[in-house]
Structure formats: C-alpha cells, structure tokens
Amino acid sequence: MVTARRISASDPGAVGEAARCLAEDGLVAFPTETVYGLGADATSGTAIARLYAAKGRPRFNPLIAHVADLAGAKRLARFGTAAESLVEAFWPGPLTLVLPKAPDCPVADLATAGLDTIAVRLPAHPLARDIVHALGRAVVAPSANRSGHVSPTTADHVLADLAARIDMVLDGGPAAVGVESTIVACLDGAPVLLRPGGLAREAIEAVLGAPLAVPDGAGEKSPIAPGMLKSHYAPRARLRLNAREVGADEALLAFGPPPSDAGHARAVLNLSAGADLAEAAANLFSHLRTLDATGATLIAVAPIPRKGLGEAINDRLRRAAAPRPRPEPSATPE
Ligand code: AMP
Ligand code: MG
C-alpha cells in the first residue's frame, strides 16, 4: 500500500467501499463515537496480522470486536444477567464487555490473543455500525494510531500516524466522546472495571446496583487486561500532571480557569474553560497533539477531578506521563 485513500463519510459510496476493502483483508480507519478505529475483518487471521503490524501493536494485546447489532454480539459471546442489563442500558454506546467466547465464535484466535474470552462492543456511531453491517462479519477496531501513541479523534490524526500503513480512512469529522470505551468484564463473579472510558463508572454502577470490582493484579501484562500498559497514549513531550503553576518553557493544558501565571507558558490550550468533563474528554487527545506540535518538551497539565469522565481522562494522562518502556521484544517488528 502506498498512501491511504481518504473518503468523506458523506460520499454515498463510502460504506460500500469500506466494506469491500475489509472483505479483501484491507485496513480501513473509520470514526466511532469514542475515537477513530482501525478496522479489520475479525474473522480473517491475515487481516488481523496486517493490523498488528500496521499499528506496531504487541500481539499479546487482544482486540475489541465491533458488531452491528445485538444478534451479531451473541454469535461471538455468552451474555449472563449482568451483561444483559448493561447491554439493555448502554448499547449502542461507548461500553465494551469482556465475556466468555461463544462455542463457535468465528473471530480469529489472533484477535483474542488466545484467550477464551472476547471483548465485544456495539458502537453508537451509525457509520461504524453501517460498515460492520455491510461487511456482514464482526470488525476488530483498535484506535487508529501507532501503538503507544496518542489516539486519533480526527481523520487527519489517523493519517499523521498511519497514512503509509493502511488502505483507507473515512472522514466523518471529529469523534464526539474523545476517549476510548469503558471496558467491563462480566465473567465469573461480580463485573470488573478493566478500563475507565467514555461511559462513566457511576452510570454503570447505578444499573448494576453495586460498585464495580477492580481487576486482580491489574496492570502490566496482567492476564485479565493484557493491554493495559502503563505507558500509552503518549505524546513526544513529557507530561507534568496536577500542575498548579507553569514553568518558563512549558506548554500548559488547562482545565477551568487557567492559573495566574499562564502567560509565561509557551502555549496554552484549555480542555474546558467551563470545567465540563465531557468537553474535556472530547478535546483531550487533539489538544495533546497540538501542544506536542509546538515543540515544547514539557506539558504542564492542570488537576482534573476524578469523577465521571474525569476517571478516564486521569487514566489516559497518567499513562501518557508514565516512563516510556523500551520496545517490547515480542512486539511485531516494524
Ligand atoms: P484498544 O483496542 O487499544 O482500545 O484496547 C482494547 C483493550 O481491550 C485492551 O486493553 C485489551 O487488553 C482489552 N481486551 C481485549 N480483549 C480482552 C479480553 N478478552 N480480556 C481482557 N481484556 C481484553
Ligand atoms: Mg489504543
């Protein structure tokens, strides 16, 4: 592949072209309500191998299978009572469920990293669902960026990372939610929050009528959430979190009223001047990219409350600020 074709989502042929490309083991980036996903046919080992290579994603990090409707989800996984009630309340939407694989689940083993569980999501974005529906099979769609980088919320972000590595990007404008889906495992025992995300924990707990459990031994290479790497979502610049003042050559990522010394900053962007967490989530990744592009070596980030979508925002910022590992020996070579 030379350079990805960019197709406007309003082009009447867009969905058909995307589905044809996926059917031929192509890689197609498309908008979902959370971030842009990089789609591949979930039943094709060849397509999934290409996807891991294009992202430089370690193969121990399994993928989320996207479906067009509940019937499609039930061909992949077994739903217990907790899962059924979450689906009823929140699908389609930014909620991924990790469930026991269905006995004849057609998803390629490479997509689930050999686990007997599978992550499934029914996205709210109509374009994402239309593409899956047109293909007629589940589509794996991790964020459309090089592994470890900042996730894309526009088609331009996708092309900046992957133009020479994928076949097509559908441009549907900026993603509305801006952070990845919340992941909840519904296996044996109480539901577990594997990753905070675009659906607030409080909303899920209200439906379950109980607090979400936290993973056993969560973190680096934990078998239950193998992809929750400590360093992820990382810009080139270093991040300094919970900053209440700005250093001389720092860029500032503000939230709410900026500190009085904000004028010293080399550049200032505000996640939400009105301290709205949904607006902050939608702006997070694109503001990180813009500040990174100023050439600042340090980005000071204002404190952000941990409630609601603030839990996901703080999670992404913590990973973006974490020390960067050397490349994984098991990662797919570039
Ligand atoms: P991404 O596609 O990069 O947003 O990440 C998907 C996340 O889902 C990763 O953190 C994976 O570890 C997690 N995931 C996918 N499948 C499973 C599974 N079967 N069990 C636990 N976590 C999973
Ligand atoms: Mg990602």
Side-chain angles (χ1 to χ4, degrees):
M1 58 193 106
V2 188
T3 189
R5 284 178 62 207
R6 178 187 192 124
I7 303 182
S8 165
S10 58
D11 182 325
V15 168
E17 290 213 39
R20 261 193 305 283
C21 184
L22 290 169
E24 290 165 5
D25 291 336
L27 301 179
V28 178
F30 56 82
T32 80
E33 72 276 18
T34 57
V35 301
Y36 273 66
L38 180 57
D41 179 346
T43 66
S44 164
T46 308
I48 292 164
R50 291 185 71 205
L51 185 147
Y52 277 104
K55 280 185 60 81
R57 179 172 172 119
R59 290 187 180 208
F60 62 73
N61 188 358
L63 303 166
I64 298 172
H66 293 66
V67 294
D69 50 36
L70 189 53
K74 292 194 168 173
R75 283 193 283 275
L76 309 185
R78 287 189 283 120
F79 288 70
T81 37
E84 291 280 5
S85 53
L86 293 178
V87 160
E88 169 81 14
F90 300 118
W91 272 11
L95 173 68
T96 294
L97 296 175
V98 171
L99 301 167
K101 250 188 199 171
D104 39 11
C105 172
V107 170
D109 283 340
L110 187 53
T112 52
L115 299 169
D116 54 9
T117 57
I118 183 166
V120 185
R121 174 169 166 230
L122 177 58
H125 200 302
L127 192 66
R129 286 208 309 273
D130 288 351
I131 291 170
V132 180
H133 182 74
L135 178 67
R137 298 193 279 276
V139 172
V140 287
S143 55
N145 53 278
R146 293 279 290 162
S147 185
H149 288 191
V150 180
S151 301
T153 56
T154 67
D156 282 338
H157 297 166
V158 174
L159 291 170
D161 258 32
L162 295 175
R165 294 172 167 266
I166 67 176
D167 298 293
M168 193 182 287
V169 57
L170 263 58
D171 184 353
V177 176
V179 291
E180 293 79 357
S181 59
T182 301
I183 306 182
V184 174
C186 296
L187 301 170
D188 311 326
V192 176
L193 179 66
L194 294 183
R195 174 176 76 184
L199 178 65
R201 167 206 288 270
E202 294 87 333
I204 298 171
E205 292 178 337
V207 166
L208 294 174
L212 278 165
V214 287
D216 250 359
E220 209 82 31
K221 294 190 202 162
S222 148
I224 181 140
M228 299 302 283
L229 305 177
K230 284 191 181 115
S231 170
H232 212 78
Y233 314 108
R236 192 192 35 74
R238 301 266 147 200
L239 263 61
R240 187 166 70 80
L241 303 185
N242 300 312
R244 293 175 193 281
E245 75 301 315
V246 195
D249 211 29
E250 289 180 329
L252 172 66
L253 187 59
F255 177 80
S260 54
D261 60 355
H264 302 168
R266 156 184 201 132
V268 184
L269 285 178
N270 204 323
L271 287 171
S272 170
D276 177 87
L277 288 166
E279 183 184 19
N283 285 329
L284 177 67
F285 291 134
S286 105
H287 280 11
L288 281 175
R289 283 176 185 261
T290 307
L291 291 179
D292 213 19
T294 65
T297 52
L298 207 56
I299 301 174
V301 184
I304 293 161
R306 314 191 68 81
K307 62 176 188 333
L309 291 189
E311 188 178 7
I313 297 171
N314 278 289
D315 171 83
R316 303 304 186 270
L317 286 169
R318 207 168 49 247
R319 292 176 205 279
R324 319 277 159 89
R326 292 161 191 272
E328 281 284 341
S330 59
T332 311
E334 295 186 13

